[in-house]
Amino acid sequence: MDVYEMRAEHEAGDPRGRILHWHMVRDHSSQAMCGREIAPDSAAQSPDTWGSPAAQPFCHSCGAAYLRQVPQTTGRPP
């Protein structure tokens, strides 16, 4: 079973910098589902946050890929 996690893309690659986008990663990868490399020390959130204000701004490409892999009405894994 795949494990999903939301990871931040920070401004200038600084893990304390402003969050530009939240991305979805699978199985603790450093590559987001959209293909962007995510720093291993970037901020992280549970995938349960997906679709909430805390997950904004969210990468649209990651969101589309996530929904194709976890096709539920809420977009959240069981």
Side-chain angles (χ1 to χ4, degrees):
M1 181 175 162
D2 292 325
V3 175
Y4 295 92
E5 179 179 47
M6 289 178 50
R7 302 292 301 275
E9 173 190 350
H10 294 276
E11 188 171 56
D14 178 1
R16 293 174 304 281
R18 181 174 69 91
I19 294 173
L20 299 176
H21 287 99
W22 285 99
H23 294 272
M24 193 66 74
V25 299
R26 184 178 53 229
D27 296 331
H28 309 290
S29 175
S30 64
Q31 187 175 48
M33 294 177 77
C34 67
R36 183 174 297 275
E37 283 295 320
I38 304 296
D41 56 351
S42 67
Q45 298 190 77
S46 163
D48 292 337
T49 310
W50 187 86
S52 75
Q56 298 302 319
F58 194 76
C59 171
H60 292 257
S61 296
C62 282
Y66 181 61
L67 285 177
R68 281 192 297 273
Q69 292 186 23
V70 184
Q72 297 179 5
T73 58
T74 63
R76 294 185 174 97

